[in-house]
Amino acid sequence: LSTVVVLYGVSYFVRTPPDRHFARYIVPLRLHIAGGMGALLTGPWQFSQKLRARALNFHRWLGRFYLLEVALGSIAGFYMATVSKQGLPTHFGFGILAVLWFFTGLQAYRSVRQGNIESHRRWMVRNFALTLAAVTLRIYLPLMLGVLHWSFRVTFITVAWLCWIPNILIAEWMIRRSHATEF
């Protein structure tokens, strides 16, 4: 699903979005999308125990790239949250997501720099759960609009929160459930 979302994201680089609102903010939108695309493509590989065991240096460099993509995507995403459609509910929903995405990435980096690998893993689980908001948003949006026939306003406000809150709750549940288990 991450790859499908990335392929969809490519369309924003080959054409201007038909939505006039998004077209007005094309540079920060493309920066946000580029960061998200990089994170979605590299993030899953970071959880591979085989990759870490066989190529720890590659894991480290891929992790640096991933975190740079998260920084780019979250900073641009925060800007986009301030101009999101439907006002304060979406500004706050997407804005908090952007802040948490950046913060959890920063905490993961700090943990690994301090040599606390277990803490690093927990923060990366949280961070990637937030990265996957790009995927869950694209699952919920057509479901609410096409199947449930909700209005765009209600759907977009709901999705601004629903795309990431269940993800982070599941991540916390996984972390607490597994304690010392490697991911």
Side-chain angles (χ1 to χ4, degrees):
L1 291 175
S2 291
T3 304
V4 171
V5 171
V6 167
L7 291 173
Y8 172 74
V10 169
S11 69
Y12 283 86
F13 292 92
V14 295
R15 64 175 174 78
T16 302
D19 184 309
R20 296 175 83 199
H21 178 77
F22 283 133
R24 288 180 47 207
Y25 304 103
I26 194 65
V27 171
L29 177 64
R30 284 181 174 161
L31 290 173
H32 171 63
I33 292 169
M37 289 169 62
L40 283 169
L41 288 176
T42 57
W45 298 104
Q46 293 300 88
F47 291 98
S48 169
Q49 292 178 7
K50 288 181 182 179
L51 179 67
R52 281 194 311 269
R54 292 182 186 163
L56 185 58
N57 231 16
F58 180 70
H59 170 79
R60 289 175 177 156
W61 280 103
L62 197 60
R64 289 178 185 116
F65 176 78
Y66 172 85
L67 288 175
L68 284 173
E69 294 296 291
V70 167
L72 174 65
S74 62
I75 292 167
F78 184 80
Y79 176 80
M80 291 305 298
T82 66
V83 297
S84 62
K85 291 183 174 183
Q86 308 311 321
L88 286 177
T90 59
H91 297 339
F92 280 110
F94 290 130
I96 292 168
L97 168 59
V99 169
L100 290 175
W101 195 26
F102 184 88
F103 175 77
T104 57
L106 180 62
Q107 289 302 103
Y109 178 75
R110 286 179 175 166
S111 295
V112 80
R113 295 295 296 162
Q114 295 168 354
N116 190 339
I117 302 304
E118 191 55 40
S119 176
H120 169 71
R121 288 182 183 155
R122 289 191 302 264
W123 283 112
M124 286 309 300
V125 167
R126 292 176 182 112
N127 185 267
F128 193 65
L130 296 171
T131 298
L132 288 175
V135 174
T136 54
L137 181 143
R138 281 154 188 86
I139 292 170
Y140 294 137
L141 205 59
L143 177 68
M144 291 173 187
L145 289 170
V147 177
L148 300 176
H149 304 290
W150 289 8
S151 70
F152 179 80
R153 177 173 173 69
V154 170
T155 296
F156 204 62
I157 290 170
T158 304
V159 161
W161 298 89
L162 194 61
C163 71
W164 63 272
I165 290 176
N167 295 13
I168 199 70
L169 292 174
I170 291 168
E172 285 301 321
W173 174 77
M174 288 173 56
I175 290 166
R176 292 175 195 279
R177 186 176 143 257
S178 63
H179 291 301
T181 305
E182 285 189 12
F183 297 101

